[in-house]
Every structure is written in structure tokens, then in C-alpha cells.
Amino acid sequence: MANTTVKGAIAIHGQNPQFLVETVIRNRIWESNYWKEHCFALTAESLIDQAITLRCIGGVYGNQRPTEFMCLLLKLLQLQPEKEILIEYLQADEFKYMRALAAMYIRMTFSAVEVYELLEPLMKDYRKLRYRDMAGYSLTYFDEFIHSLLTEERVCDIILPRKAKRSILEENGEIGPRKSRLLDAMEGRSDHGSNRSRSSSQSRSRSRSPSKSPYRSRSPSASRSRSHSPSENGRYVSRSPSRSPDRSRSGSISPDRMDIEPTNVS
């Protein structure tokens, strides 16, 4: 039948892969027109044609109607594609909604170690995503969606399977420490700053060292002789304040301006 899981499918978390979606939502997906018209007889390869046409992510909206994103997620659980095919979905950078679909499937079906190794590099993607829920459309970002898959228990109206915490996996040696882009950027900036300080100190030490250029060295005698040299007009510059000859006054009184006292003529 169209709603049954493929033969030979491996049980995930001890149950049928389609049972990871809640019964109410799963029944509404099977009854939706999108499932009957577009998800019938899909394979892991032909599902890409439907995944690249997605325009939003989310669980249910309106009158408990499932989104196209949720229908294709259930189809992936029914088909249970190989790991290599899902990695190809993740590497398709130009189709962000297909990438989000593969990330959601990996979070629900893969082990905890594989989830951290495959999804954490996707947090470098900062593109916008449309999210549709009961309240309508809203905007989110791809890195926020991946962060919710790694930290929250319920995403897109689906209860996610439990997984071990990263700190426990690191203590057991199953996974290495997380690589932080911010820490790498800060370390790179600090290295750049130390190199810059070294170069500035070297330049200061060079500037303080005496110069050997003959044009910059001046002897005191040359500077003194230059101070007593005549100006360009051929005149000596006097540093003492000068007075005009008509306003200059000597200490003695001229004889023509002396007051002649009248003499007594006997």
C-alpha cells in the first residue's frame, strides 16, 4: 500500500520509522491532497524534485493541516534512503529547504554522534527560512533551526527522539570538542594584534636610532653660522627693535632747541 514502510526497512529507536511522527499528524498527512497527488510512488531520487519546490518549513497550520515539509519528511521515513543520499541533500547549498528537510530527518533517525558531526557544520549557514505554524508565517534563520534541532525536544510540532548530551559524549571520548568559529576568530585577531605590536615596536626602535644620513645631521657651528648669515635680500636682520630716525631721540638736547636765558645788560 501507499502508506506502508518499504520492505526491509530497519527499525529506528526500536519501532517503525513512520511511528516517529505522532499518530494524529501522521493520519492527517495520509489524508492530505499533497500526499495523494505528489508523494505517491516517490523514490529517494525523485523526491528531490519535490524537495526543491519547498517554500517553507513547519508542522501543521490552519485547521491542523500538515505542511508540504512535513509530508516529505514522512515520505523520507517511509523510504528510509541511504546515508550517502542524505549527505548529498545536505551538500546542496542552493536548495536551503531541501537541506533543512535532510537535517530534520538526520536528527530523528541517526545516532547522537552522527547528529553532532553532521549538523554542527550547518550552523555556519545564516540564510533566512520561512516558518509556518498555527499563527501563520514567520521568519527564522537556518542556524537557529539547526540549534533548535540540537537543543530542543519539540521542533515543527514533532517530539524528537532523545539523544545523549554532547558533554557526556566528550567525556566518553566518542566525539571531539566542538570547534567554535568565534574562538578561532578571536585567536586569529589576537595573533594579528601581537604581530602588529611587534612591528610597531620595531619601527619605533628604528626611529629612535641615530640616522647616518648626511643631510639630516647638522653641526652646532653650521647652525650658528646660519643664524648670523645675511638674508636673501642681502641685508642683515637685526634682532633689536629699531626706531625710525625721525622718532629717535638722543639723551643730549640740540643747541637750536635750547632755551637761551636773557642776560642782564648793565
Side-chain angles (χ1 to χ4, degrees):
M1 297 178 62
N3 299 337
T4 58
T5 309
V6 295
K7 294 181 180 181
I10 302 174
I12 299 176
H13 303 293
Q15 59 181 349
N16 190 331
Q18 292 193 85
F19 292 169
L20 295 175
V21 181
E22 299 177 6
T23 305
V24 177
I25 300 177
R26 187 170 66 250
N27 291 333
R28 290 186 178 275
I29 291 175
W30 289 341
E31 296 173 358
S32 64
N33 294 329
Y34 184 82
W35 176 267
K36 297 177 181 179
E37 295 177 3
H38 300 281
C39 297
F40 180 78
L42 283 180
T43 62
E45 292 79 9
S46 60
L47 188 139
I48 298 177
D49 298 333
Q50 299 296 328
I52 61 179
T53 60
L54 290 175
R55 292 295 177 266
C56 65
I57 62 174
V60 295
Y61 68 96
N63 190 13
Q64 296 293 326
R65 295 179 180 178
T67 59
E68 299 176 359
F69 179 83
M70 189 60 57
C71 295
L72 292 180
L73 178 63
L74 184 61
K75 193 64 180 181
L76 282 177
L77 294 173
Q78 181 183 2
L79 296 174
Q80 201 176 38
E82 298 179 358
K83 182 179 179 180
E84 291 76 10
I85 297 177
L86 294 171
I87 293 177
E88 292 295 330
Y89 288 177
L90 289 179
Q91 294 178 354
D93 298 341
E94 61 273 15
F95 305 113
K96 55 183 179 181
Y97 291 105
M98 185 176 67
R99 204 178 192 188
L101 179 65
M104 185 79 175
Y105 179 83
I106 290 173
R107 171 62 181 87
M108 296 178 65
T109 58
F110 283 29
S111 62
V113 177
E114 292 176 336
V115 167
Y116 284 113
E117 290 178 352
L118 293 176
L119 296 190
E120 282 182 349
L122 299 180
M123 297 187 70
K124 301 177 183 178
D125 194 346
Y126 307 113
R127 289 178 293 182
K128 295 180 180 180
L129 294 175
R130 292 192 195 93
Y131 182 79
R132 192 174 189 180
D133 54 2
M134 299 295 294
Y137 287 98
S138 60
L139 282 179
T140 185
Y141 293 89
F142 201 95
D143 59 330
E144 294 180 358
F145 176 69
I146 299 298
H147 183 265
S148 62
L149 291 177
L150 296 176
T151 57
E152 298 181 5
E153 298 180 355
R154 192 180 187 92
V155 178
C156 294
D157 300 326
I158 292 181
I159 300 176
L160 301 176
R162 295 183 179 180
K163 62 178 179 60
K165 294 183 179 180
R166 183 180 178 83
S167 58
I168 298 176
L169 297 176
E170 290 180 1
E171 293 177 359
N172 296 335
E174 298 180 10
I175 192 173
R178 180 181 177 183
K179 297 181 180 179
S180 176
R181 294 187 66 190
L182 180 60
L183 183 59
D184 296 340
M186 293 177 64
E187 291 178 355
R189 184 176 299 177
S190 62
D191 296 340
H192 179 69
S194 61
N195 296 332
R196 187 175 182 180
S197 61
R198 291 177 183 176
S199 60
S200 62
S201 61
Q202 292 177 0
S203 61
R204 289 179 182 177
S205 61
R206 291 177 182 176
S207 61
R208 290 179 181 179
S209 60
S211 176
K212 297 181 181 180
S213 173
Y215 298 99
R216 294 186 179 180
S217 61
R218 295 177 181 177
S219 60
S221 59
S223 61
R224 290 178 182 177
S225 62
R226 184 178 180 181
S227 62
H228 294 286
S229 61
S231 61
E232 296 178 357
N233 297 331
R235 299 179 182 180
Y236 291 95
V237 179
S238 177
R239 296 184 178 179
S240 59
S242 59
R243 296 180 180 178
S244 58
D246 55 349
R247 297 184 62 180
S248 63
R249 294 180 182 181
S250 62
S252 59
I253 303 175
S254 60
D256 55 350
R257 296 187 61 182
M258 295 178 56
D259 296 335
I260 300 175
E261 295 180 358
T263 56
N264 294 328
V265 178
S266 56

